[in-house]
């Protein structure tokens, strides 16, 4: 391979010339026109877990937050996972080797900085993956999202506060109770973080029923750590 060719292929890796969404020429992974179609969710939300709910729902709390114990204080999800463009975005980040797309968060820096979930937070904590699973995927997308959020909020990421110590089955298709059972004793707090009275923000890709975030929050709270959470996207509540 000529030097110029290998230089070109490296450039191509760094700056893809085509939009992943529409294939048009683009200097970033998503072209300007497609970027315009990616918008934060603006409808009604559960005031505890941020999941979309009907405007008529009074109080503005989703059925899961109403009926189950939530161990996190409050959460926020930026996008609605039911939107086609958002689903595509998450798929690229999570399954198709494009964690760099988490940089989309910079488009919404102003909104993110204004969120109350970050006020008084000592650390951002990515929802951990089991070691073997990270090796398989090559990265933990939640850690990449947390790193990006850290650049925006200036809150440091703590990687050793929470570990996943058990490989769990896939959560797809399971209801809240089964998900919770599946995750039981899956996480562990790192010794350095015991009883430090931290307030942290857990970071994940998608909020579905909140069972994963709830289990993480429960594990942290047992060692005296309070938590909020941030996820890229949320799924509207389905009974
Ligand atoms: Zn495009
Ligand atoms: Zn809720």
């Amino acid at each position: 391979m000529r030097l110029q060719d290998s230089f070109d292929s490296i450039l191509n890796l760094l700056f893809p010339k085509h939009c992943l969404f529409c294939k048009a020429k683009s200097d970033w992974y998503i072209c300007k026109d497609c970027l315009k179609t990616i918008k934060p969710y603006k409808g009604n939300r559960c005031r505890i877990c941020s999941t979309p709910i009907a405007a008529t729902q009074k109080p503005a709390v989703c059925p899961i937050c109403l009926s189950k114990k939530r161990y996190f204080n409050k959460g926020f999800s930026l996008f609605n996972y039911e939107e086609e463009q958002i689903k595509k975005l998450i798929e690229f980040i999570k399954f198709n080797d494009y964690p760099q797309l988490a940089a989309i968060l910079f488009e919404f820096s102003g909104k993110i900085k204004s969120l109350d979930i970050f006020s008084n937070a000592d650390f951002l904590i990515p929802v951990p993956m089991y070691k073997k699973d990270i090796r398989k995927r090559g990265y933990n997308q939640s850690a990449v999202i947390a790193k990006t959020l850290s650049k925006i909020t200036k809150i440091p990421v703590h990687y050793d506060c929470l570990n996943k110590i058990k490989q769990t089955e896939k959560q797809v298709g399971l209801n809240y109770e089964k998900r919770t059972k599946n995750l039981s004793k899956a996480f562990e707090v790192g010794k350095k973080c015991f009883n430090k009275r931290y307030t942290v923000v857990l970071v994940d890709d998608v909020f579905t029923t909140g069972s994963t975030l709830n289990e993480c929050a429960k594990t942290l709270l047992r060692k005296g750590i309070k938590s909020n959470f941030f996820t890229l996207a949320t799924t509207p509540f389905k009974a």
Side-chain angles (χ1 to χ4, degrees), residues 1-21:
M1 197 190 269
R2 288 188 309 127
L3 188 63
Q4 184 60 44
D5 290 342
S6 50
F7 184 66
D8 280 351
S9 60
I10 290 168
L11 267 184
N12 243 323
L13 272 177
L14 291 173
F15 306 104
K17 289 174 178 138
H18 297 93
C19 170
L20 289 171
F21 282 35

Side-chain angles (χ1 to χ4, degrees), residues 51-52 77 79-82 206-209 231 233-238:
T51 201
S77 309
F79 303 121
N80 183 353
Y81 190 59
E82 298 275 282
V206 182
F207 181 96
T208 308
T209 63
T231 68
T234 180
T235 317
F237 175 77
K238 287 188 199 83

Side-chain angles (χ1 to χ4, degrees), residues 46-51 53 61-66 70 72 207:
C46 167
R47 61 176 147 81
I48 298 170
C49 75
S50 176
T51 201
I53 53 169
V61 178
C62 79
I64 297 185
C65 288
L66 266 180
R70 296 296 213 185
F72 47 77
F207 181 96

Side-chain angles (χ1 to χ4, degrees), residues 87-127:
K87 216 168 247 173
K88 246 194 240 178
L89 173 77
I90 303 283
E91 263 164 35
F92 275 118
I93 291 177
K94 205 168 168 177
F95 304 112
N96 296 343
D97 266 346
Y98 283 99
Q100 310 89 313
L101 292 189
I104 191 129
L105 287 171
F106 289 117
E107 297 282 316
F108 308 101
S109 294
K111 167 93 193 148
I112 290 166
K113 280 185 203 162
S114 76
L115 295 172
D116 57 0
I117 51 164
F118 293 115
S119 49
N120 304 320
D122 297 297
F123 295 107
L124 306 177
I125 297 189
V127 166

